[in-house]
Structures are given as C-alpha cells and as structure tokens.
Amino acid sequence: MKKLLNTLFITQPDVYLSLDGDNIVLLKEKEKLGRLPLHNLEGIVSFGYTGASPALMGYCAERNISITFLTKNGRFLARVIGQSRGNVILRKTQYHFSEDESISAKVARNFIIGKLYNNKWILERMTRNYPLRIDVKAFKDVSKQLTSILEEVRKCEELDSLRGWEGQGAIAYNKVFNSMILQQKEDFYFHHRSRRPPLDNVNAMLSFAYTLLANDTAAALETVGLDAYVGFMHRVRPGRASLALDIMEELRGVLADKFVLSLINRKVITKEDFLKKENDAVIMTDEARKKFLKAWQEKKQETITHPFLAEKIAWGLVPYAQSLLLARYLRGDLDEYPPFLWK
C-alpha cells in the first residue's frame, strides 16, 4: 500500500477493498492489512484485485473518488467514477492544450529535457562504473553533445524544432549504445534502431520493452483521468496512444534500455532465445518472453527515490507519478510539468 499525491496504490495482489465508516479497509483472506481515511483521497488504484464492496464503490462515487482496477501486470481493466465533475474539465484542458502548438511545445519540451538528461546520465554512469571496458572519451564526447542539445531545447519554443533536437540527441546516444553491451557481444549488437520488423536480437528486446512500457504508461494515464491517445509531442493519430508515447520518452533510457542491457549483460537472455523468420525479422521465443516478463515485473518492484516528489516508490509506479504530475499541471496546480530526472 502506497499513498502518492492523494492517490492510494494497492500493489499487493488478491486484496479485497471494503468500507468501514469513512475509511477504506484492506483485507486479504479475512486478515486486515491496512486502514486509511478516505476524506483526503482523490483516487484508489488496485493491482490484481480480488474485489471491492458495493458500499465502498458507492461511497467513492458520491465523493468523486475514482477506483481503478488493473491486472497484476499493470494492464488497465476498468475505472469506476461517479458523475463527471472533474475529469471532463481535465480532458477538455488536455484537448485544448494539444490543439495549440505553442502550448504543446511548452509541455513537449519538458518530456524531451527528461529524455536527454536521463540518457546523458546513463552514459556518465557507464564511464564511472566501467572505465576499463568502454571508450571513456567517446562516452564523454556524446555526453557533452547531449548537454549542448539540452541547452538548445531549454530555449526552443517550436514543436518541429524540438522534434529535430530530440532526433539529434537520439542519434548521438545511439552511437555508443552498442558499447554498453558488455557480454555476449557476438550475438548481441546494436548498429541502428529497426522497428517493423526488428532485425536483430537487441532490437527485438527493445521493441518488446518499449511495448510493455507504453502499455504501463497508457494504463497510468487512464487511471488519472487523462486521454492516453491525445498527446503534445506525438500528435493525434488513429490507434496510437500519443500521450503515453510522450510520457514514456523520459523513461525509455533509464527504464527500458537499462533493463534490456541488464538482461544481456547478466546473460538472463541468450542467443537461443530468438528465432529468425523468412523476412529477416527477429522474434523472441515464447519461453524468452516469459523470462523477459518475469524480470520486467521484478524490475517494477525495485524502489527508487522520485527526484521531484522526494519519496521512495517502486519503478512500476513512476509512470503513475508522472501521469499524476501532468494532471496537476493541466489543472493549474503546478506552473509546469516536472519531468523525471534520473541521476
């Protein structure tokens, strides 16, 4: 159980939610796990729920406290709310901001700042942790280049220019990505990003990790009442969760990329875990996906101190924290959206 920005997160599976007076009570196999007053909550998020009492749902609906149910893996199932009082205004603001390119640029700029900053510090950590196994000068050169791009991004106010700087940052970062693969180098290498289809083992893993992260982020946005399909940097396109892609930009490197690299360097995934199809596409075997998913869920349970909130939370709750902060910004509670800055 974790309270974050007036939202209660119940991450322990198989917990039944009930009402006692003005309090939510958490029960597991009739054992009371916790009790918390409801009067200062805005939302409840339950992973892998057993159920919730009608009395609790009615109480929350009357007081505009949302209850969101997700699977243990974080897939969005349903959101129970009462009369639309706050979320309709939140979404109207989101749609208005998205249609205005100058406002969209202001929001998108912070997504890109988060991405560039985090990628820079991934490289800095590599130079500190593995100075004898990598080309430190090459890493330092790219780090300086990312710093220069960050300076340009901070003063940029046009959406297309921001996308251009983001692209330059990605090209610079990708130049040294292959050098971060320290084990199994004959079977795992990265020359460039290939998506549809992935053409090597590393790209197959990156694509899977990005898909999982996008799904987790979309679920987080739906949980806080935002429309995952209406973004600021990524424009609206049918069937694309554009806002989820926006938010996950700052998490790609520190969560997805580092996770993939750890599976390779710790030899959790090996060359036997891949198949090559007739069209040269490389896919993971069913058994490999199971190992990947198990490790992903374990990664999401690891804790980190959130740089803006200064609270210890699980990695799996970071997309929810960022979604809540974005909602706070759109409601006018924050002057700007604070990106996730890892170091």
Side-chain angles (χ1 to χ4, degrees), residues 305-317:
T305 300
H306 192 281
F308 181 80
L309 301 172
E311 286 188 46
K312 276 196 170 183
I313 63 172
W315 266 111
L317 293 184

Side-chain angles (χ1 to χ4, degrees), residues 137-188:
K137 183 181 182 303
F139 274 69
K140 287 291 187 181
D141 286 346
V142 173
S143 178
K144 289 178 183 177
Q145 188 177 350
L146 291 177
T147 298
S148 298
I149 294 172
L150 266 168
E151 292 171 359
E152 295 296 333
V153 168
R154 286 193 176 100
K155 58 189 181 186
C156 184
E157 297 181 354
E158 294 182 359
L159 204 50
D160 285 340
S161 297
L162 283 169
R163 291 195 191 99
W165 289 119
E166 186 273 334
Q168 287 193 36
I171 291 168
Y173 169 76
N174 285 341
K175 283 180 182 176
V176 292
F177 190 92
N178 190 61
S179 297
M180 291 189 276
I181 300 171
L182 304 176
Q183 301 287 342
Q184 309 186 84
K185 294 181 75 70
E186 289 185 6
D187 303 306
F188 292 88

Side-chain angles (χ1 to χ4, degrees), residues 63-184:
R63 290 158 180 80
N64 205 31
I65 302 171
S66 65
I67 306 178
T68 305
F69 300 110
L70 303 103
T71 67
K72 287 187 288 186
N73 294 334
R75 183 171 60 83
F76 180 83
L77 292 174
R79 186 165 183 263
V80 180
I81 57 173
Q83 292 180 344
S84 295
R85 286 174 284 195
N87 287 330
V88 65
I89 296 173
L90 175 63
R91 289 203 176 197
K92 282 186 71 175
T93 303
Q94 178 189 354
Y95 300 150
H96 169 65
F97 280 19
S98 177
E99 289 172 2
D100 188 317
E101 286 216 0
S102 63
I103 300 177
S104 290
K106 180 182 177 182
V107 185
R109 181 169 58 202
N110 283 10
F111 297 142
I112 296 169
I113 286 172
K115 177 178 183 175
L116 294 171
Y117 179 94
N118 292 337
N119 286 356
K120 169 185 167 63
W121 282 104
I122 289 172
L123 305 186
E124 289 292 339
R125 280 217 180 176
M126 287 294 296
T127 63
R128 185 186 70 189
N129 295 337
Y130 305 102
L132 301 179
R133 302 181 68 180
I134 63 171
D135 184 344
V136 172
K137 183 181 182 303
F139 274 69
K140 287 291 187 181
D141 286 346
V142 173
S143 178
K144 289 178 183 177
Q145 188 177 350
L146 291 177
T147 298
S148 298
I149 294 172
L150 266 168
E151 292 171 359
E152 295 296 333
V153 168
R154 286 193 176 100
K155 58 189 181 186
C156 184
E157 297 181 354
E158 294 182 359
L159 204 50
D160 285 340
S161 297
L162 283 169
R163 291 195 191 99
W165 289 119
E166 186 273 334
Q168 287 193 36
I171 291 168
Y173 169 76
N174 285 341
K175 283 180 182 176
V176 292
F177 190 92
N178 190 61
S179 297
M180 291 189 276
I181 300 171
L182 304 176
Q183 301 287 342
Q184 309 186 84

Side-chain angles (χ1 to χ4, degrees), residues 105-285:
K106 180 182 177 182
V107 185
R109 181 169 58 202
N110 283 10
F111 297 142
I112 296 169
I113 286 172
K115 177 178 183 175
L116 294 171
Y117 179 94
N118 292 337
N119 286 356
K120 169 185 167 63
W121 282 104
I122 289 172
L123 305 186
E124 289 292 339
R125 280 217 180 176
M126 287 294 296
T127 63
R128 185 186 70 189
N129 295 337
Y130 305 102
L132 301 179
R133 302 181 68 180
I134 63 171
D135 184 344
V136 172
K137 183 181 182 303
F139 274 69
K140 287 291 187 181
D141 286 346
V142 173
S143 178
K144 289 178 183 177
Q145 188 177 350
L146 291 177
T147 298
S148 298
I149 294 172
L150 266 168
E151 292 171 359
E152 295 296 333
V153 168
R154 286 193 176 100
K155 58 189 181 186
C156 184
E157 297 181 354
E158 294 182 359
L159 204 50
D160 285 340
S161 297
L162 283 169
R163 291 195 191 99
W165 289 119
E166 186 273 334
Q168 287 193 36
I171 291 168
Y173 169 76
N174 285 341
K175 283 180 182 176
V176 292
F177 190 92
N178 190 61
S179 297
M180 291 189 276
I181 300 171
L182 304 176
Q183 301 287 342
Q184 309 186 84
K185 294 181 75 70
E186 289 185 6
D187 303 306
F188 292 88
Y189 45 82
F190 180 89
H191 300 314
H192 58 84
R193 184 79 178 102
S194 57
R195 298 175 177 83
R196 299 182 184 89
L199 299 176
D200 55 61
N201 297 347
V202 174
N203 272 292
M205 294 175 72
L206 288 173
S207 291
F208 194 30
Y210 293 157
T211 297
L212 294 174
L213 181 56
N215 289 339
D216 288 348
T217 308
L221 291 164
E222 292 288 347
T223 296
V224 305
L226 289 166
D227 189 333
Y229 288 82
V230 178
F232 302 102
M233 184 173 83
H234 294 84
R235 309 309 286 170
V236 174
R237 183 186 299 172
R240 183 173 75 175
S242 296
L243 187 58
L245 296 178
D246 283 356
I247 290 280
M248 69 176 276
E249 285 297 336
E250 56 202 88
L251 303 178
R252 279 182 189 266
V254 291
L255 190 47
D257 292 358
K258 281 176 61 62
F259 173 74
V260 166
L261 288 166
S262 73
L263 293 186
I264 298 169
N265 291 333
R266 291 189 291 112
K267 300 182 180 179
V268 175
I269 300 291
T270 65
K271 65 179 181 180
E272 284 77 21
D273 289 315
F274 298 88
L275 298 171
K276 193 163 188 175
K277 302 180 76 175
E278 291 181 1
N279 65 348
D280 290 331
V282 175
I283 62 171
M284 300 175 70
T285 65

